Amino acid sequence: MTYHRFSDGTFSGWYNAPRVQYAITFSGQMEIGIGDGTKRMFSPGDILQVENLDGQRHITRSVEERITVSAALAV
């Protein structure tokens, strides 16, 4: 399991997941966007299964005015 802290407005450009994993949001809010323009907001307690190891990539952005903390748990 890896933990991540993101300041408000942190942006990660287009990338693929390093492995199939669950992304769990503990605090703050994260926005995930995919290549077709779809965006989804994740709040504390939300869990996302990330599977895009190749092909379509995604972006991640912290959108709340506080530190966002999340964890990635390999499946």
Side-chain angles (χ1 to χ4, degrees):
M1 182 180 295
T2 57
Y3 293 90
H4 306 276
R5 291 177 56 129
F6 302 95
S7 300
D8 178 41
T10 298
F11 177 82
S12 296
W14 295 103
Y15 64 97
N16 292 97
R19 65 193 152 282
V20 176
Q21 60 192 11
Y22 292 107
I24 306 162
T25 304
F26 293 114
S27 71
Q29 288 188 309
M30 295 296 291
E31 179 183 75
I32 307 292
I34 59 175
D36 69 359
T38 302
K39 293 181 182 176
R40 213 169 135 202
M41 194 71 66
F42 293 87
S43 298
D46 289 340
I47 301 172
L48 169 67
Q49 184 173 346
V50 183
E51 299 179 336
N52 64 326
L53 304 180
D54 55 16
Q56 187 170 345
R57 299 177 293 164
H58 67 276
I59 59 170
T60 305
R61 182 171 66 98
S62 177
V63 294
E64 197 166 285
E65 293 181 14
R66 61 183 172 166
I67 299 293
T68 298
V69 179
S70 67
L73 173 64
V75 177

